Amino acid sequence: MKNIAILGSTGSIGLNSLSIIKNYPSHFRAYALVSNKNYRLLFQQIIEFRPKFVYIHNPKSLNKLNKLLNTIEHNTKILSYNDGIDSIISKKNIDIVIAGIVGSAGLRWVISSIKYNKKILLANKETLVMAGPFINMLLKKSKAKLLPVDSEHNSIFQLTNKLNSQQIKNINDVLLTGSGGPFRKKSLSYIKLATPTQAVNHPIWKMGAKISVDSATLMNKCLELIEAHNIFNFPFEKYKVLIQPEGVIHGIVNMKDGSSFAHMYNADMKIPISNVLFYPNYNSYMSSNINFSKLKQINFEEPRHNIFPSIKLAHEVLKQGMSAQIALNASNEIAVASFLDKKIKFLDIFKFIQSSL
Ligand code: NAP
Ligand code: MN3
């Protein structure tokens, strides 16, 4: 039995994780839940999963959660900002941490999880964009293990795990695929006027608002290039981005002998999450395969670099170094929040990032 801490339990990654845990009660137990504002959903999760510990970040939500908890009998200890992050992560019984908080708020939780030698399932890519080299340095000194949840990185992880050292040396390049987001086919004049509702309406994945906007700007692929660079040991030039609108191929490894390995499944985050949850054991999660005859075709195209400068930005900041990566991540996060608040227009996100850099 493995005890799990789910960081961001009320979010998209958190809900997918809980739905796996629920189906494997003899393997996994939701031991600690962490969230920010959504006290109503957290309350439901406390009733359903009976965690030992809960941390809620937002003070107003903490008050409201406590009021709800006064109406039931429970044995959950409620922690908050004043108790600190270590107070939860340091618990000896926690075996696995699912890092599913969105944005830079996730960084300190990952640092704490490394400090306490946890197995970390990393969805929070911003951590590696802000602090990749620092995180890798901490990992070297710790017994913690960091495993990728992000679908592209999880696919590359699974593919390269199946290759021997001779084959690894003979990799030509690694393709990070992306669906292209909701504006893949839209005209520049449409994109200029795009609303938050249109931007978060992702054609393939159902995800949180921030990553959905990142998918629409292709900044998600920018962040993922930097993420990949910090997880795997290939030179940066080896990573390429390719748009694959059906969202069935999640990673491709091209070999020097002309062959390619592609990792495929129906877009469902429970597949990569369960892969690393069970790792190093075989993934016992059951799901249906792609129905290839129904799918009929798989298309590929290059990103529209003239409209979306995101991929170029990844190359730029990696050349410039850590301060540029921190500035890129922070300015993107603020710009996306401002766009969602209707304070700036969609394409202003790029202007904001570029001027910050
Ligand atoms: P989401 O649905 O917006 O969920 C974010 C979660 O983080 C919520 O539970 C939120 O709590 C919590 N949170 C936010 N700020 C917090 C803070 N300061 N302290 C504690 N908890 C906090 O986001 P998501 O789509 O699950 O994405 C999470 C991360 O995974 C992102 O980094 C994203 O890039 C990455 N990722 C997601 C997917 C996906 O399929 N969703 C795929 C690949 C990678 P409240 O809801 O209570 O406010
Ligand atoms: Mn991804």
Side-chain angles (χ1 to χ4, degrees):
M1 170 69 80
K2 301 282 185 209
N3 288 316
I4 324 267
I6 300 140
L7 316 181
S9 68
T10 51
S12 157
I13 290 289
L15 291 172
N16 276 309
S17 304
L18 283 170
S19 107
I20 302 167
I21 291 170
K22 193 163 135 181
N23 286 317
Y24 294 89
S26 58
H27 288 74
F28 307 115
R29 169 178 178 204
Y31 191 82
L33 302 177
V34 170
S35 79
N36 185 27
K37 286 189 183 155
N38 194 345
Y39 67 92
R40 282 204 180 90
L41 182 53
L42 191 57
F43 178 64
Q44 293 305 325
Q45 292 178 343
I46 293 171
I47 293 173
E48 183 173 359
F49 293 95
R50 301 277 161 186
K52 273 260 178 218
F53 296 95
V54 150
Y55 172 108
I56 184 156
H57 189 74
N58 183 285
K60 279 188 195 149
S61 299
L62 171 69
N63 283 339
K64 289 181 175 155
L65 178 69
N66 277 328
K67 275 188 194 140
L68 286 177
L69 285 170
N70 284 337
T71 64
I72 59 160
E73 266 187 45
H74 68 91
N75 290 314
T76 301
K77 182 152 195 253
I78 312 299
L79 300 167
S80 69
Y81 190 74
N82 294 328
D83 300 293
I85 288 168
D86 283 356
S87 68
I88 260 203
I89 299 295
S90 61
K91 301 283 180 278
K92 274 214 173 62
N93 285 342
I94 295 176
D95 303 294
I96 300 174
V97 174
I98 301 180
I101 291 176
V102 60
S104 46
L107 174 66
R108 298 203 303 153
W109 291 90
V110 176
I111 293 174
S112 179
S113 305
I114 299 174
K115 182 166 146 195
Y116 292 102
N117 302 307
K118 304 300 181 189
K119 173 178 158 181
I120 306 157
L121 315 188
L122 185 80
N124 178 253
K125 61 191 87 185
E126 293 90 347
T127 284
L128 289 179
V129 179
M130 293 163 76
F134 176 63
I135 293 293
N136 282 324
M137 184 194 78
L138 295 179
L139 280 168
K140 266 196 198 134
K141 291 195 225 153
S142 149
K143 290 197 184 91
K145 199 153 173 52
L146 191 97
L147 301 168
V149 166
D150 207 352
S151 58
E152 300 76 9
H153 307 72
N154 182 267
S155 283
I156 297 162
F157 173 70
Q158 292 201 48
L159 286 170
T160 51
N161 274 345
K162 291 182 176 75
L163 302 181
N164 62 37
S165 57
Q166 191 71 18
Q167 286 173 308
I168 297 279
K169 277 190 209 134
N170 281 289
I171 290 176
N172 223 356
D173 49 38
V174 173
L175 302 183
L176 300 179
T177 47
S179 66
F183 304 149
R184 183 176 65 89
K185 286 275 188 204
K186 300 290 186 215
S187 67
L188 183 58
S189 51
Y190 180 97
I191 293 171
K192 271 184 186 160
L193 299 174
T195 65
T197 316
Q198 290 164 336
V200 297
N201 185 20
H202 197 276
I204 308 271
W205 302 94
K206 287 283 151 276
M207 311 182 286
K210 195 254 174 185
I211 185 176
S212 296
V213 175
D214 286 343
S215 300
T217 55
L218 298 194
M219 278 306 287
N220 189 39
K221 291 301 138 190
C222 165
L223 305 180
E224 289 183 352
L225 279 166
I226 304 170
E227 180 186 14
H229 180 64
N230 284 295
I231 295 178
F232 306 104
N233 280 325
F234 303 113
F236 186 65
E237 322 77 73
K238 293 222 174 196
Y239 300 101
K240 307 265 155 64
V241 170
L242 186 64
I243 302 300
Q244 195 278 286
E246 294 80 10
V248 289
I249 301 184
H250 304 286
I252 299 174
V253 174
N254 284 326
M255 307 298 294
K256 287 189 177 153
D257 68 4
S259 63
S260 302
F261 296 104
H263 193 234
M264 306 176 70
Y265 55 87
N266 289 318
D268 175 1
M269 282 308 291
K270 289 193 273 306
I271 295 174
I273 295 170
S274 58
N275 168 259
V276 282
L277 202 49
F278 282 96
Y279 184 88
N281 298 319
Y282 187 72
N283 185 0
S284 310
Y285 179 72
M286 297 289 153
S287 191
S288 50
N289 295 102
I290 296 167
N291 185 335
F292 288 101
S293 59
K294 207 171 153 199
L295 177 68
K296 286 195 177 68
Q297 50 177 317
I298 302 176
N299 291 281
F300 298 98
E301 62 196 42
E302 288 293 323
R304 293 192 289 171
H305 298 291
N306 55 335
I307 299 182
F308 307 103
S310 321
I311 313 300
K312 266 184 257 158
L313 279 171
H315 288 264
E316 231 172 78
V317 297
L318 273 164
K319 251 187 251 149
Q320 287 179 25
M322 272 322 298
S323 345
Q325 290 162 51
I326 294 167
L328 172 117
N329 187 67
S331 56
N332 180 55
E333 199 165 317
I334 295 165
V336 170
S338 307
F339 169 70
L340 287 169
D341 275 354
K342 299 187 176 165
K343 288 181 190 146
I344 63 170
K345 294 245 176 347
F346 185 76
L347 289 174
D348 291 340
I349 296 175
F350 295 122
K351 285 190 200 151
F352 195 86
I353 297 169
Q354 270 151 343
S355 67
S356 303
L357 284 175

